[in-house]
Amino acid sequence: MTITIDQPHLDAIADRKVAGGGGDNAAELVLDGGFVVPDSNAFGNTFRNYDAESERKETVEEFYRVNHINQTYDFVRRMREEYGRLDKTEMGIWECIKLLNEFIDDSDPDLDMPQIEHLLQTAEAIRKDFPDEDWLHLTGLIHDLGKVLLHPTFGELPQWAVVGDTFPVGCAFNECNVHFKYFKENPDYLNPKLNTKFGAYSEGCGLDNVLMSWGHDDYMYLVAKENKTTLPSAGLFIIRYHSFYPLHKHGAYMHLMNDEDKENLKWLHVFNKYDLYSKSNERIDVEKVKPYYMSLIEKYFPAKLRW
């Protein structure tokens, strides 16, 4: 059975407030929900503080050094060709969630707990504020499932090829990228075909036509799309670009976006609040919430997916 989902209309749910500065900065979305942004992460630091002295600092910086050197245009094309075949295994969404229990994200300065904790924290925080947007609850639950690329079944890719902030390849690296200095060792940095503002692309070409650094975001997007999910395009946009902090935090690369991208970016701004600030050491009762999320999986996905 095919379920047709209309594109959600955010204006009916959230008030718009233009962030200071104007210009090309995206509008900040002010929600009516009750989610309260905490003052600090699980380590007592501000969120996404890559300079704070903590037990995670050296691990995170070394991750970005290797990531920025190796994420090239040619590398991404090879990864998309290999993993876009979706021939690694077949399994359901919840099976995939259980696989993630084994992994901790080395790029994340805010959390060192198994991934299922973050997925459920994100989904439940969204569910509380947006009780009628079930597609957004499910998007929160599955947005990081592409991290199964770390598993031996999927080639056990190194973390630099799976997690971390994402960015376009094939054009100039923007200086707002975390630890930008390491891009200077990337072979594309000095390639005149790939190091200009537009590089391999054109103005307003649309992000669908832009290659992003390879990782769990792009992989889960391919899995969902090719397995014919009925999530709205805003859900797929969130999955593919939720780690694209240069765009949704700093407003970089907007010259590559088309009108549909700009509409979907509004939902990504909403989602990011929950993805980033719901991280804590508070545990979710998995068995209590599992039946609800299983019903959403059944609604929006086939029982078995090709991965």
Side-chain angles (χ1 to χ4, degrees):
M1 179 178 66
T2 300
I3 302 173
T4 302
I5 305 296
D6 292 332
Q7 181 69 354
H9 296 289
L10 186 59
D11 291 342
I13 300 171
D15 297 322
R16 295 191 60 176
K17 175 184 176 183
V18 179
D24 291 333
N25 291 335
E28 178 186 355
L29 295 159
V30 181
L31 310 182
D32 293 327
F35 183 76
V36 178
V37 175
D39 294 327
S40 61
N41 63 20
F43 301 101
N45 300 315
T46 55
F47 285 86
R48 286 182 58 83
N49 186 341
Y50 292 90
D51 297 317
E53 293 296 333
S54 77
E55 58 196 80
R56 300 278 290 162
K57 180 182 178 182
E58 290 185 7
T59 298
V60 172
E61 181 164 354
E62 175 59 16
F63 163 86
Y64 277 107
R65 185 187 71 82
V66 179
N67 172 278
H68 290 353
I69 292 172
N70 289 285
Q71 288 277 2
T72 66
Y73 186 71
D74 286 342
F75 170 76
V76 171
R77 291 177 66 183
R78 292 197 306 271
M79 291 296 99
R80 276 196 131 228
E81 181 179 356
E82 176 181 348
Y83 285 93
R85 293 193 291 264
L86 303 182
D87 59 0
K88 305 303 179 187
T89 191
E90 289 191 6
M91 63 179 169
I93 292 289
W94 199 265
E95 292 175 79
C96 185
I97 290 172
K98 291 193 292 186
L99 280 182
L100 290 186
N101 261 338
E102 303 174 27
F103 303 110
I104 292 172
D105 186 340
D106 280 347
S107 72
D108 193 341
D110 299 321
L111 193 68
D112 63 351
M113 296 174 67
Q115 290 299 300
I116 192 171
E117 300 292 335
H118 169 53
L119 297 179
L120 288 171
Q121 287 170 353
T122 303
E124 284 293 283
I126 293 171
R127 183 182 176 189
K128 182 178 179 181
D129 283 0
F130 292 88
D132 298 326
E133 304 295 325
D134 66 356
W135 68 270
L136 193 57
H137 311 164
L138 183 59
T139 300
L141 182 71
I142 69 171
H143 74 281
D144 274 347
L145 292 192
K147 291 179 181 180
V148 292
L149 290 171
L150 297 165
H151 196 274
T153 302
F154 297 83
E156 204 167 5
L157 292 182
Q159 291 229 3
W160 65 261
V162 179
V163 297
D165 288 7
T166 59
F167 46 87
V169 295
C171 60
F173 302 115
N174 192 284
E175 292 189 9
C176 71
N177 281 291
V178 173
H179 294 302
F180 171 82
K181 60 186 177 182
Y182 295 120
F183 282 117
K184 296 177 181 180
E185 300 177 59
N186 185 303
D188 293 350
Y189 185 79
L190 297 177
N191 186 333
K193 295 181 179 180
L194 304 175
N195 66 1
T196 63
K197 179 178 180 179
F198 294 105
Y201 312 114
S202 60
E203 186 168 9
C205 63
L207 293 180
D208 271 353
N209 296 305
V210 174
L211 290 183
M212 299 295 295
S213 54
W214 177 251
H216 71 281
D217 310 61
D218 205 19
Y219 179 58
M220 188 59 206
Y221 164 78
L222 292 173
V223 169
K225 182 180 178 182
E226 296 304 317
N227 281 282
K228 310 300 182 186
T229 181
T230 54
L231 286 173
S233 67
L236 289 172
F237 189 91
I238 289 169
I239 291 169
R240 192 179 190 213
Y241 303 113
H242 68 271
S243 301
F244 191 5
Y245 279 87
L247 171 66
H248 59 71
K249 182 177 181 181
H250 300 286
Y253 301 104
M254 291 191 70
H255 55 280
L256 300 175
M257 298 173 68
N258 60 25
D259 290 342
E260 184 179 8
D261 294 330
K262 292 172 184 176
E263 284 299 308
N264 284 333
L265 180 60
K266 298 173 186 178
W267 277 108
L268 180 54
H269 280 138
V270 170
F271 175 84
N272 178 248
K273 172 182 174 180
Y274 300 91
D275 183 24
L276 178 58
Y277 297 117
S278 66
K279 297 173 183 176
S280 72
N281 289 321
E282 183 178 344
R283 310 299 289 267
I284 302 292
D285 186 337
V286 178
E287 294 307 312
K288 181 179 179 180
V289 301
K290 181 179 177 180
Y292 174 69
Y293 290 105
M294 289 298 294
S295 71
L296 299 189
I297 292 167
E298 183 178 353
K299 178 178 179 179
Y300 290 104
F301 282 94
K304 293 286 185 181
L305 286 73
R306 295 180 297 114
W307 299 78

